[in-house]
Amino acid sequence: MAKCTGNFIRVPPAPEPLEVRLPVVVAKKEASFLFAQEKNLPEIPEGIKKIETSLQSSKFVVIKGYVIFEITASQDVYYIFRDMVKLFTAPCFFTGSVPVPEAREGMEVIPRISVGIYYTNSGARISEQVLISIGLQCIEYRNVFI
């Protein structure tokens, strides 16, 4: 049985070559996207305490040299109303594409996603600029004889 330790693969002696399927990073790409959004709170707040975003799901598909993404997030807005901190939760959806010329259909995509929010509020309306940074690795599996 072959064992993988770090970047090394140990294979016991065998009378014939052993075929192994290994992941190979074919392409890497970094991209950032800026999305503008508006939300309306149920009341006019005295102030915004903080906004937290958590990623709920993400989907990445390779189509003809592009990686198409769909990201679903949830935002928790903590605001002050009548000397109480209240919570308003809203879903957020982001879609886009990243050109990756080396990417081919059927490749696996390993993403690294980070989200930053910049906002202003006026009355019950919150205007946001959401910065999504994505690091992509397109993986192809290849058969190698050892």
Side-chain angles (χ1 to χ4, degrees):
M1 174 181 231
K3 292 184 180 181
C4 183
T5 308
N7 291 330
F8 299 102
I9 298 174
R10 286 191 197 162
V11 180
E16 56 191 57
L18 179 64
E19 186 175 5
V20 180
R21 189 168 166 88
L22 296 175
V24 176
V25 176
V26 175
K28 291 183 180 183
K29 186 78 173 204
E30 302 277 335
S32 293
F33 300 88
L34 191 61
F35 295 93
Q37 293 187 338
E38 286 195 358
K39 293 181 177 43
N40 287 310
L41 296 174
E43 296 118 354
I44 297 175
E46 296 163 19
I48 305 292
K49 190 160 180 74
K50 65 180 173 177
I51 297 177
E52 293 179 345
T53 301
S54 59
L55 295 176
Q56 301 297 313
S57 66
S58 62
K59 180 180 177 183
F60 291 83
V61 178
V62 178
I63 299 176
K64 296 181 183 176
Y66 286 88
V67 176
I68 312 296
F69 66 87
E70 296 176 0
I71 298 172
T72 304
S74 177
Q75 281 189 344
D76 292 335
V77 179
Y78 295 89
Y79 64 96
I80 301 168
F81 181 72
R82 294 189 181 158
D83 295 329
M84 295 186 330
V85 175
K86 292 192 163 192
L87 171 65
F88 174 77
T89 301
C92 303
F93 305 100
F94 307 102
T95 61
S97 64
V98 179
V100 184
E102 304 89 351
R104 293 182 300 280
E105 290 184 36
M107 285 186 166
E108 180 181 337
V109 177
I110 299 175
R112 189 182 69 254
I113 304 167
S114 64
V115 179
I117 299 173
Y118 309 94
Y119 66 89
T120 59
N121 70 305
S122 174
R125 184 173 18 134
I126 299 174
S127 299
E128 297 177 335
Q129 298 291 321
V130 181
L131 178 65
I132 296 184
S133 298
I134 301 173
L136 301 173
Q137 288 186 343
C138 295
I139 306 291
E140 180 177 77
Y141 289 89
R142 297 183 182 164
N143 293 338
V144 177
F145 290 95
I146 313 177

